[in-house]
Structures are given as structure tokens and as C-alpha cells.
Amino acid sequence: MLEGYNTVTNIKNHIAFHLEQIIEEAETMRSSIEDKDYCLLCELAHIKEQFNEIQTSASFFYLKTYIADFTQNYIDIAKAIQNLSERRHGALIIVERNNPVDSLLQGGIQLNANLSNRLIESIFFPGNPLHDGALHIKGDYIVSAANVLPLTTQNFGNEKVGTRHRAAIGLSELIDALVLVVSEETGRMSFALDGTLYPISTAKDSIH
């Protein structure tokens, strides 16, 4: 989906392309709206897909930007969540930024280990005693695992939001940490920042 879109220029070009597509389709909709055979709902659905593509592109780019400032091993984190996503191994990963998160975490097991994608993946392997909580990353170290996070009290209506996602949003509402989530059910990746959840591309080449 985002192969090769790793620079500011390419990301902007990618987004601009989809915006142009939306403008063209919106103009077609406006001029065809009186045509009784014209499928307005079909076109609206396609425009929604274009907006989703734009959001995903921007989210992946900004994810890298947010992480790179706080750990030199952000590629290891990206590789880990990509591999976990492909295997549908659920994961919850905190990347500490400016403000310490320790006071908001409960029940964690101290690790103080060097950060690597293989270690992250092994921690979230099903059956591992540490897999059922949040991993805490600070700088280039995995500080702790199996942490319990505060859950958001947001009302999502009929939308199904799992515990990991509620925990990610909940912590990001209270502090500037970035919290990554991999869904165990779907394998979809996302990250929470400032109380909002953003989707991440699932294209493997996008992390290189």
C-alpha cells in the first residue's frame, strides 16, 4: 500500500494524488447527481476508500516521525509489529516520549533489555507469560512487560473496540506516549496518540 513512500516528498505526492482523485470524483458526482441511473452511494463509498488511504499514508509517516525522535531502533519496532500483524499475534507497545509513564503502569515485570524486533516478537508469542499486557519501551531499551494500562472511558457506540485498543487510547489520553496496537483478531495495526487511534499500513515493504 505504501511501498516506497518513506520520504516527506513521496508521502505528500501520494496524498496529493488521492486528493486529486477525490476532487475529480466529487465533480463527476455533482454533474451527474440528477441522472437517475447514477449510483451516488457507490461513488461515495469509493471516495471514503480514498480518504482511508490518505489517512493510512499519513499515519504511517507520522508514526515513524514520532518514534524516530525517541529511539534509534524504531525500525526494529516497525518490523516487530509488522511480523506480529502477519501472524495475528496481539500486541500492545508503549513508546515513552517526553513524559515518564511509570506512574501510570501497574503490575509490570522489569526487563531492562536491549530493544530488538526478535525480543518484542517473542514476548508477544501466544502462551508467553508476558504477552498479555503492555510492553514499555524507553529509548533503546525494553523497560518492562505485562503492564496494565488505564482504559479509556470514551463511548464508541456500536463500534467494537477491544481491551488493547481501549488501553492504548486510555494511556495516550493521560500522557504524550505513543502506544502501538496489533489486533489479535484481525492483525490490523494502529497507534494511539493524544487519545486518538490511527490505522497503520499493513504493506511489508513500507517499513524498509
Side-chain angles (χ1 to χ4, degrees), residues 3-22:
E3 293 90 334
Y5 294 103
N6 291 330
T7 67
V8 174
T9 300
N10 285 336
I11 284 287
K12 288 181 177 179
N13 289 341
H14 185 62
I15 292 173
F17 170 78
H18 285 286
L19 286 174
E20 288 293 335
Q21 293 288 103
I22 290 171

Side-chain angles (χ1 to χ4, degrees), residues 68-99:
D69 287 341
F70 298 94
T71 174
Q72 296 181 16
N73 294 343
Y74 68 92
I75 291 295
D76 282 274
I77 299 173
K79 285 181 179 178
I81 63 169
Q82 182 72 66
N83 292 334
L84 290 165
S85 171
E86 291 178 353
R87 299 169 190 146
R88 294 196 177 184
H89 291 175
L92 185 60
I93 302 171
I94 307 157
V95 180
E96 183 172 315
R97 303 201 320 142
N98 293 306
N99 300 318

Side-chain angles (χ1 to χ4, degrees), residues 84-86 88-89 165 182-189 202:
L84 290 165
S85 171
E86 291 178 353
R88 294 196 177 184
H89 291 175
H165 295 82
V182 178
S183 170
E184 189 172 332
E185 293 183 3
T186 65
R188 291 176 182 170
M189 301 178 294
T202 56

Side-chain angles (χ1 to χ4, degrees), residues 28-189:
T28 300
M29 289 170 58
R30 188 187 67 80
S31 60
S32 305
I33 198 167
E34 298 298 334
D35 185 349
K36 65 179 181 180
D37 295 323
Y38 183 72
C39 183
L40 181 62
L41 289 177
C42 296
E43 292 303 320
L44 286 172
H46 189 252
I47 285 179
K48 182 179 179 180
E49 290 177 3
Q50 297 275 10
F51 273 116
N52 288 340
E53 176 71 15
I54 290 171
Q55 183 183 33
T56 301
S57 301
S59 295
F60 179 80
F61 170 71
Y62 284 111
L63 168 65
K64 291 182 67 176
T65 301
Y66 296 143
I67 289 180
D69 287 341
F70 298 94
T71 174
Q72 296 181 16
N73 294 343
Y74 68 92
I75 291 295
D76 282 274
I77 299 173
K79 285 181 179 178
I81 63 169
Q82 182 72 66
N83 292 334
L84 290 165
S85 171
E86 291 178 353
R87 299 169 190 146
R88 294 196 177 184
H89 291 175
L92 185 60
I93 302 171
I94 307 157
V95 180
E96 183 172 315
R97 303 201 320 142
N98 293 306
N99 300 318
V101 302
D102 303 79
S103 63
L104 297 171
L105 309 182
Q106 295 182 5
I109 305 299
Q110 293 296 309
L111 297 179
N112 296 319
N114 290 327
L115 194 164
S116 72
N117 63 293
R118 290 186 177 182
L119 180 55
I120 294 173
E121 291 168 42
S122 67
I123 288 171
F124 288 109
F125 190 85
N128 188 318
L130 302 179
H131 92 285
D132 203 21
L135 196 69
H136 174 200
I137 291 174
K138 181 177 181 180
D140 298 326
Y141 294 92
I142 297 175
V143 178
S144 59
N147 293 285
V148 177
L149 309 186
L151 301 182
T152 183
T153 58
Q154 287 186 41
N155 184 354
F156 296 96
N158 294 326
E159 184 180 358
K160 184 180 179 181
V161 180
T163 303
R164 284 191 178 95
H165 295 82
R166 289 182 177 274
I169 296 169
L171 183 66
S172 74
E173 288 173 333
L174 302 174
I175 205 163
D176 72 337
L178 183 145
V179 190
L180 294 150
V181 188
V182 178
S183 170
E184 189 172 332
E185 293 183 3
T186 65
R188 291 176 182 170
M189 301 178 294

